[in-house]
Amino acid sequence: MLQTLYDYFWWERLWLPVNLTWADLEDRDGRVYAKASDLYITLPLALLFLIVRYFFELYVATPLAALLNIKEKTRLRAPPNATLEHFYLTSGKQPKQSGLSGRQVERWFRRRRNQDRPSLLKKFREASWRFTFYLIAFIAGMAVIVDKPWFYDMKKVWEGYPIQSTIPSQYWYYMIELSFYWSLLFSIASDVKRKDFKEQIIHHVATIILISFSWFANYIRAGTLIMALHDSSDYLLESAKMFNYAGWKNTCNNIFIVFAIVFIITRLVILPFWILHCTLVYPLELYPAFFGYYFFNSMMGVLQLLHIFWAYLILRMAHKFITGKLVEDERSDREETESSEGEEAAAGGGAKSRPLANGHPILNNNHRKND
């Protein structure tokens, strides 16, 4: 039974154009071709990424946060209450009457919700890690493809397909990118949970499937173009978050506007009208459509729909920047302030409630850090 399933899964007609077999992609004459077994290394590499991330956040991101005066915020904890805790965990995070006054219940739920929200330092660490990876990956990706003829002429992506050998730089670019997305999927439950949590899971899964399939089916030239295109804007977003968490509002806004422009150009113009056109139209000039053709382009369609969704959020935020409205991450929950003056005094700061952006007070313009 297992052998039958294995044979059906690796049936050439699923992965390769008509009249071609896996024998055509066996290494020969010094030419090396992509193999499914190559991807086994990505799982241990993903675990290595998680280890590297831990030490990066501890020894690089945390000291950097301290230099930018980003600190853990002391939060008032909700007093123990078994009835409210059970309701909070099982039924919802909104107040429920339970022997306490309405204000006391609301205060308990407010504090309890704030306990579950990630700290500013945690957000900064995550943004720093992603910024570092995406920037390095983009530079490395461009180094891999900028000297290739298919970077300038999309038709050359399919020249000789699928008898296209791989080179070490392509191999490592693929393995590192795929390993990183595996690590994101492994850590998503413990990372900052945003409003687009489900979309993030869909994106990570679709990306892993797309990268893996493009390696199996030797869509490697197209794959390297797609990965570099995505990395071109991601590091800008993460750097904007870092400056936002540091309170450098003007720098954050300016970087975000640049990010929005790059995102729109790459994800809503270049990707659908150049890359997708390349993967949808040009292969049919060489071979009849086969399962791999439909599957690859279907996954590209899923990513494109996610890009449209995120473009809507980005444009909405960009509109707020331009009109001077409160700046905050549309995907993040704001930390709630205590409504009672007595609670503010008990917090030890005696500070009045102030507007919050991304869980921390907006800096007074007269005491803002120099951008």
Side-chain angles (χ1 to χ4, degrees):
M1 176 62 74
L2 292 178
Q3 184 62 42
T4 301
L5 292 175
Y6 179 87
D7 292 339
Y8 273 118
F9 183 80
W10 292 112
W11 185 36
E12 285 93 345
R13 294 291 68 77
L14 292 179
W15 303 91
L16 302 174
V18 65
N19 297 329
L20 288 169
T21 67
W22 294 118
D24 296 310
L25 296 178
E26 292 180 356
D27 298 347
R28 61 173 65 87
D29 301 327
R31 297 168 64 89
V32 179
Y33 298 92
K35 306 174 189 64
S37 58
D38 294 335
L39 300 187
Y40 292 154
I41 195 177
T42 60
L43 293 178
L45 280 179
L47 296 178
L48 179 61
F49 264 120
L50 294 177
I51 296 172
V52 172
R53 172 181 172 175
Y54 172 80
F55 287 105
F56 175 89
E57 292 185 355
L58 186 63
Y59 294 110
V60 178
T62 300
L64 179 59
L67 288 175
L68 295 174
N69 202 31
I70 300 173
K71 301 176 181 178
E72 291 278 12
K73 180 181 178 181
T74 302
R75 292 170 172 167
L76 297 176
R77 298 186 64 82
N81 186 305
T83 302
L84 294 181
E85 184 70 22
H86 176 75
F87 182 86
Y88 179 86
L89 295 174
T90 60
S91 302
K93 299 184 179 181
Q94 297 305 317
K96 169 185 179 292
Q97 295 299 329
S98 175
L100 301 174
S101 69
R103 173 170 293 187
Q104 287 176 314
V105 172
E106 290 178 1
R107 182 182 304 159
W108 190 94
F109 272 85
R110 185 183 305 115
R111 290 182 178 180
R112 187 63 182 83
R113 287 193 296 266
N114 281 339
Q115 283 178 215
D116 285 348
R117 291 193 171 94
S119 68
L120 202 63
L121 181 57
K122 179 178 175 63
K123 293 179 180 179
F124 181 84
R125 286 170 174 168
E126 288 189 13
S128 300
W129 167 247
R130 289 189 171 95
F131 165 77
T132 302
F133 175 83
Y134 288 135
L135 179 60
I136 294 174
F138 175 63
I139 295 173
M142 292 304 297
V144 169
I145 64 176
V146 72
D147 62 337
K148 306 299 186 294
W150 57 84
F151 181 71
Y152 306 95
D153 183 357
M154 291 292 194
K155 286 194 173 184
K156 292 187 180 295
V157 166
W158 304 105
E159 191 173 72
Y161 178 83
I163 314 299
Q164 297 174 339
S165 58
T166 62
I167 56 178
S169 59
Q170 291 174 324
Y171 169 84
W172 284 112
Y173 186 36
Y174 254 81
M175 298 306 110
I176 291 173
E177 285 275 352
L178 183 55
S179 301
F180 180 74
Y181 280 103
W182 273 120
S183 73
L184 291 183
L185 190 63
F186 293 157
S187 65
I188 196 168
S190 60
D191 287 345
V192 174
K193 189 173 182 179
R194 303 183 186 277
K195 295 176 182 178
D196 62 346
F197 179 74
K198 293 180 181 178
E199 288 81 4
Q200 285 286 346
I201 293 178
I202 294 172
H203 174 268
H204 295 341
V205 171
T207 301
I208 289 170
I209 293 174
L210 192 58
I211 294 176
S212 300
F213 179 84
S214 65
W215 184 261
F216 295 162
N218 218 19
Y219 275 47
I220 295 173
R221 294 180 181 180
T224 54
L225 293 175
I226 294 167
M227 290 189 295
L229 186 75
H230 281 73
D231 291 335
S232 65
S233 61
D234 288 340
Y235 71 90
L236 291 170
L237 175 61
E238 300 303 331
S239 63
K241 290 180 184 178
M242 292 168 63
F243 283 112
N244 181 40
Y245 301 147
W248 294 38
K249 181 179 176 181
N250 290 341
T251 304
C252 166
N253 291 357
N254 292 332
I255 294 177
F256 187 85
I257 294 300
V258 175
F259 158 74
I261 294 171
V262 174
F263 185 95
I264 297 301
I265 293 175
T266 56
R267 309 291 181 93
L268 299 187
V269 179
I270 296 178
L271 187 64
F273 296 106
W274 270 270
I275 305 295
L276 266 174
H277 180 267
C278 172
T279 60
L280 280 168
V281 177
Y282 295 154
L284 299 181
E285 297 177 0
L286 301 174
Y287 300 101
F290 59 105
F291 173 80
Y293 166 87
Y294 292 116
F295 183 82
F296 181 86
N297 286 292
S298 296
M299 298 306 298
M300 288 290 293
V302 171
L303 288 182
Q304 189 59 55
L305 290 176
L306 289 172
H307 295 156
I308 294 172
F309 167 75
W310 282 319
Y312 163 74
L313 297 181
I314 290 167
L315 291 175
R316 189 165 68 175
M317 290 183 68
H319 178 262
K320 287 185 177 183
F321 294 164
I322 294 172
T323 56
K325 295 182 179 179
L326 180 66
V327 177
E328 63 181 37
D329 189 340
E330 292 283 354
R331 302 179 303 154
S332 299
D333 293 329
R334 279 181 288 176
E335 185 166 335
E336 298 167 87
T337 57
E338 300 285 0
S339 59
S340 167
E341 291 184 5
E343 289 180 3
E344 292 292 344
K352 302 297 182 182
S353 298
R354 291 181 290 173
L356 295 174
N358 285 286
H360 65 288
I362 298 176
L363 296 178
N364 186 303
N365 289 335
N366 296 324
H367 300 83
R368 187 174 64 243
K369 294 182 181 180
N370 294 326
D371 294 351

